[in-house]
Amino acid sequence: YYFPCQRWLAVEEDDGQIARELVPVDEAFVKKDSENEGQSPATLGLEQKAKSTTYTVKVKTGDKKNAGTDANVFITLYGSKDDTGIVSLKASKINKNKFERGKVDEFTVESVDIGDLKKIKIGHDNKGNSTGWFLEWVEIDAPSLGQCLKFPCGRWLDKSEDDGAIERIIFPADLQTVEYTPFVPYEITVYTSDIFGAGTDADVFIVLYGSDGICTRQKSLCLNKREQRMYFERNSVNQFIVELEDIGDIIEKIRIGHNGGGLNSGWHLDRVTIRRLLPNGK
């Protein structure tokens, strides 16, 4: 079995995850590559990502005395088909010091398809100086399902409070579930020109427009500033898998640009190719 990855397992890189689920690819697919006929390792890594589902997990710590925790927090998402396994919530996208009183933290969780989200288990390891935690709620946005679910808690995860439990199983509140059109993955390939000063370190974004005036949200192609410095160099080809609103079979136009940031923001763009990936990976 061959499991390509080509991704960071690091708190400060990529989406901040330090463990990943991988699915096998066909052995012949990999062997072709060694004969320079198949896909590159980086492309295999993107194929892997295209088979994954990305969840945005927001966690609200209660506004009570000593509500915050310094312990290591973990979560497991349970679906109709499978579960994610234990995922450490290490890299908050909002706060450097996470799980503080009254604050909301945001994390990315990536997993193979687990089906419809049924429940979650969240808890901590009770390690550190201040371990007790009052969890207000968890919100999970699953773009590929077209659902944003709220998991209310409003209880302590503390050995000396409430029932002494430091992990809880929580079910979604049906009345607070928001439904929308599911997102689909797009493979976006960006070609930077081969002329002097063509590259950019700015934050590059894209919007896709379909027929009948529908369009996607504006989406940054890089996850962090390190990626901005690494990608979009002169005469480079960069490929991304991006989950966006499904605008249908026809892409009438795109809008691509950057925020003008960084030392070298000017960019000479050669061309962009886009492939809409359907559920079977085509």
Side-chain angles (χ1 to χ4, degrees), residues 128-174:
N129 295 324
S130 177
T131 58
W133 185 35
F134 190 89
L135 172 62
E136 196 71 57
W137 49 256
V138 177
E139 182 183 276
I140 299 179
D141 190 7
S144 65
L145 299 175
Q147 279 189 331
C148 185
L149 300 99
K150 195 75 163 275
F151 295 79
C153 180
R155 295 183 69 179
W156 286 97
L157 283 77
D158 188 337
K159 287 199 169 180
S160 59
E161 297 278 358
D162 203 335
D163 59 359
I166 57 170
E167 64 177 43
R168 297 196 182 280
I169 291 175
I170 314 172
F171 295 88
D174 292 338

Side-chain angles (χ1 to χ4, degrees), residues 14-136:
D14 203 332
D15 58 10
Q17 292 200 84
I18 56 171
R20 296 196 180 281
E21 286 193 348
L22 303 174
V23 292
V25 299
D26 191 273
E27 182 181 352
F29 194 45
V30 177
K31 285 192 169 175
K32 273 185 184 177
D33 180 53
S34 63
E35 298 156 9
N36 296 319
E37 294 175 7
Q39 302 289 337
S40 70
T43 304
L44 286 173
L46 284 168
E47 292 284 342
Q48 182 79 252
K49 186 175 181 182
K51 292 176 182 177
S52 299
T53 300
T54 302
Y55 303 92
T56 298
V57 179
K58 291 184 178 178
V59 180
K60 171 71 185 294
T61 300
D63 192 8
K64 291 176 177 283
K65 186 180 179 183
N66 300 323
T69 185
D70 296 329
N72 296 302
V73 175
F74 60 84
I75 192 170
T76 304
L77 279 54
Y78 295 88
S80 54
K81 298 179 185 175
D82 202 351
D83 65 72
T84 61
I86 296 172
V87 177
S88 295
L89 299 181
K90 290 276 191 185
S92 173
K93 294 183 177 298
I94 301 174
N95 305 305
K96 191 169 184 179
N97 196 5
K98 54 193 182 294
F99 309 121
E100 292 293 293
R101 173 178 174 174
K103 296 291 181 66
V104 175
D105 291 287
E106 183 178 312
F107 305 87
T108 299
V109 173
E110 196 176 274
S111 167
V112 295
D113 181 20
I114 61 170
D116 293 332
L117 203 49
K118 297 297 185 185
K119 64 181 180 181
I120 63 172
K121 180 164 70 175
I122 188 166
H124 61 79
D125 61 3
N126 206 46
K127 292 180 179 176
N129 295 324
S130 177
T131 58
W133 185 35
F134 190 89
L135 172 62
E136 196 71 57

Side-chain angles (χ1 to χ4, degrees), residues 254-265:
I254 67 171
R255 185 163 65 89
I256 189 166
H258 61 74
N259 67 347
L263 292 174
N264 305 297
S265 62

Side-chain angles (χ1 to χ4, degrees), residues 155-217:
R155 295 183 69 179
W156 286 97
L157 283 77
D158 188 337
K159 287 199 169 180
S160 59
E161 297 278 358
D162 203 335
D163 59 359
I166 57 170
E167 64 177 43
R168 297 196 182 280
I169 291 175
I170 314 172
F171 295 88
D174 292 338
L175 294 176
Q176 292 180 277
T177 298
V178 177
E179 305 264 355
Y180 57 91
T181 304
F183 283 25
V184 297
Y186 289 87
E187 179 190 272
I188 299 172
T189 309
V190 180
Y191 298 80
T192 299
S193 304
D194 186 14
I195 63 172
F196 180 75
T200 184
D201 293 335
D203 182 14
V204 173
F205 62 81
I206 195 166
V207 182
L208 313 185
Y209 293 83
S211 55
D212 300 323
I214 60 171
C215 68
T216 68
R217 65 188 60 187

